[in-house]
Amino acid sequence: GSEVHGVEAFNTSVGAGVYIHPSAASGNRLMGMHVHDCYYGVIFAHGLQGPEVNESAVVNESSGNELSNAIVEDIMCDGVSFAGYGVMTGSTV
């Protein structure tokens, strides 16, 4: 996965500020982002999977995708869309 820290995504009238795709994407950590003035804010695409688990425990917690400590504002449509698995924590929409 990737780690993105303190990035501003803005000013797209026809797309998304952040689009986590394809469904095989995993372990992406987006921290301290400012997403604004976009048609869509953040999209967790259909088919994204959560943490790997077996019968008794979580095997790989880092396999999910996470947006944390973000500000998502002035969005024309959906601020955040969860079509697939994603985690958003400590953020303001």
Side-chain angles (χ1 to χ4, degrees):
S2 300
E3 288 197 8
V4 178
H5 300 265
V7 172
E8 182 177 21
F10 65 99
N11 204 25
T12 176
S13 62
V14 294
V18 177
Y19 185 34
I20 302 172
H21 178 78
S23 60
S26 66
N28 295 294
R29 304 285 174 256
L30 310 171
M31 297 161 278
M33 293 196 68
H34 183 195
V35 181
H36 63 95
D37 297 302
C38 299
Y39 190 77
Y40 294 104
V42 179
I43 299 173
F44 291 90
H46 175 73
L48 292 173
Q49 301 295 309
E52 295 176 38
V53 296
N54 65 22
E55 294 173 3
S56 59
V58 173
V59 176
N60 183 1
E61 283 190 35
S62 66
S63 62
N65 296 290
E66 180 178 358
L67 176 68
S68 62
N69 303 313
I71 297 172
V72 181
E73 62 183 347
D74 297 323
I75 303 300
M76 288 184 262
C77 194
D78 298 333
V80 180
S81 297
F82 292 95
Y85 183 86
V87 175
M88 184 175 185
T89 59
S91 300
T92 302
V93 179

